[in-house]
Amino acid sequence: MAHWRRRPHRGYLTNGPGREEDVLTCAHCQFQIFFKTEAERVRLGRCGRCDKAVCAGCEKRMLSTLKCEPWETWLERVEQREMFLRKVGV
Amino acid sequence: MPHYAVDFIESAIGASVTFGSHGASNATQLRRHKVIEFSFSVETPADQTARITGQRYSAAGTSTAVVPTPLFALEGALTTPAMLGVAGENHSVEPTYTATLIVFNKVVIMRNQLLYYAPPGAEIVVPGTNASGIGWFPGAISSGTPAAVAQVILEE
C-alpha cells in the first residue's frame, strides 16, 4: 500500500489505513478543511478578496455579504475588545 | 516557542459532553496558544463512529484541571516555563460554546486512532482573552459510551 505523502504547507489527518487526508485552514474562521485529492482541493471555496481557501460556510457568507475578515483581524479585534473592557473596568 | 502536551482521559464519552478543553485565563497572564497536534482514541475499540468536534468557547465551565506538560526546553534554557493557559477534563459544567465558531469537525471510526497535524503556519489559534478557548467533544456518537483518551499538543 502506498504511503500517504505529507505535503508542505498542509496539515495531515489519519484515521487508519486508507483514511488519510490533507488539511487546510479556513482563512476566515480557522475551520479545518479536509480533502483527499487535488481535484477536491481545487473545488474548495475561495475568498474573492484575500484569495485564500475558505470553508463552505464562510464562502456562502462571503458571497452574500462581500465581507472578508481574515482570522488574524478577528483575533486582534477580540483581544482589543477585552483590553478596552479591562481598561474601563468592566 | 515551547510546546506543551495536554492529556485528557474520559471514562465514558457521550454526545455533546466535553472531554477536554484548553484556553487562556486571567488567573495567570493572557497569552495566545496554537493547536499543533490532536489525537483521539478509545480504550475498547469497536465498530462505532463518532463525530469529533472542536469548538470555541467564551466561558470555560467547571472541570478538573489538567497540567500541561512541557515537551522540551526553550533554546538556551534548562527548563521550560509552565504554560500560562489552562486545560481541563471531566467537565461537570459544560463550557459556553459559541455556536458559529466550530473549528474542527470530523467523523472518525473508533477502531483506529485519529491523528491530526495542523497545517504549518495556519494552526488553530486561541486568542489571549480571559476564559476563551477550545473545547473538544463528540458531536455525535453511533453507540456506546467508551472510555477515551485524547492528547493535544499546544504551542504557547
Side-chain angles (χ1 to χ4, degrees), chain A residues 4-5 44 82:
Chain A
W4 190 263
R5 193 164 57 85
L44 292 177
E82 167 135 335

Side-chain angles (χ1 to χ4, degrees), chain B residues 7 12 18-20 28-29 49 63 83 89 102 109 125 132 140 145 156:
Chain B
D7 294 288
T18 305
F19 57 77
T28 53
Q29 277 178 299
T49 57
S63 62
M83 188 175 162
E89 62 181 359
I102 293 173
I109 295 171
V125 181
S132 65
T145 53
E156 189 182 66

Side-chain angles (χ1 to χ4, degrees), chain B residues 56-103:
Chain B
R56 293 188 191 276
Y57 63 75
S58 57
T62 308
S63 62
T64 309
V66 178
V67 180
T69 312
L71 291 180
F72 52 81
L74 286 170
E75 199 178 331
L78 291 176
T79 55
T80 304
M83 188 175 162
L84 297 175
V86 293
E89 62 181 359
N90 291 322
H91 286 253
S92 54
V93 177
E94 286 291 306
T96 308
Y97 288 110
T98 312
T100 52
L101 293 178
I102 293 173
V103 288

Side-chain angles (χ1 to χ4, degrees), chain A residues 6 9-16 19 21 23 25 29-32 34 71 74-75 78-79 82 86, chain B residues 26 30 32 56 102-103 106-109 112-117 119-120 122-125 128-130:
Chain A
R6 193 172 174 190
H9 314 300
R10 287 189 201 166
Y12 170 73
L13 178 133
T14 175
N15 185 215
R19 288 181 57 85
E21 288 173 83
V23 187
T25 301
C29 71
Q30 291 208 309
F31 182 77
Q32 301 299 292
F34 306 105
W71 63 265
W74 170 82
L75 213 64
V78 168
E79 288 173 349
E82 167 135 335
R86 265 209 242 166
Chain B
N26 252 352
L30 294 169
R32 290 180 185 178
R56 293 188 191 276
I102 293 173
V103 288
K106 186 72 189 165
V107 174
V108 296
I109 295 171
N112 297 317
Q113 187 184 26
L114 169 76
L115 286 170
Y116 156 81
Y117 300 97
E123 298 90 355
I124 301 166
V125 181
T129 56
N130 185 38

Side-chain angles (χ1 to χ4, degrees), chain B residues 16-60:
Chain B
S16 303
V17 178
T18 305
F19 57 77
S21 66
H22 51 86
S25 167
N26 252 352
T28 53
Q29 277 178 299
L30 294 169
R31 192 182 283 176
R32 290 180 185 178
H33 63 256
K34 298 174 182 176
V35 179
I36 305 292
E37 289 176 32
F38 174 75
S39 65
F40 173 87
S41 57
V42 293
E43 289 179 10
T44 47
D47 289 329
Q48 300 159 339
T49 57
R51 176 162 49 84
I52 302 300
T53 304
Q55 192 167 356
R56 293 188 191 276
Y57 63 75
S58 57

Side-chain angles (χ1 to χ4, degrees), chain A residues 5 21 29 36 42 53-54 62 75-76 84:
Chain A
R5 193 164 57 85
E21 288 173 83
C29 71
K36 278 198 167 194
V42 295
V54 291
M62 169 76 200
L75 213 64
E76 279 166 19
F84 171 76

Side-chain angles (χ1 to χ4, degrees), chain A residues 14-66:
Chain A
T14 175
N15 185 215
R19 288 181 57 85
E20 293 109 344
E21 288 173 83
D22 281 341
V23 187
L24 282 178
T25 301
C26 171
H28 287 185
C29 71
Q30 291 208 309
F31 182 77
Q32 301 299 292
I33 309 163
F34 306 105
F35 58 96
K36 278 198 167 194
T37 60
E38 281 303 296
E40 278 180 45
R41 188 187 65 78
V42 295
R43 280 200 301 269
L44 292 177
R46 207 153 190 91
C47 171
R49 293 202 170 183
C50 64
D51 197 30
K52 288 180 179 166
V54 291
C55 66
C58 285
E59 187 186 29
K60 199 174 168 188
R61 207 171 306 126
M62 169 76 200
L63 290 173
S64 61
T65 62
L66 298 177

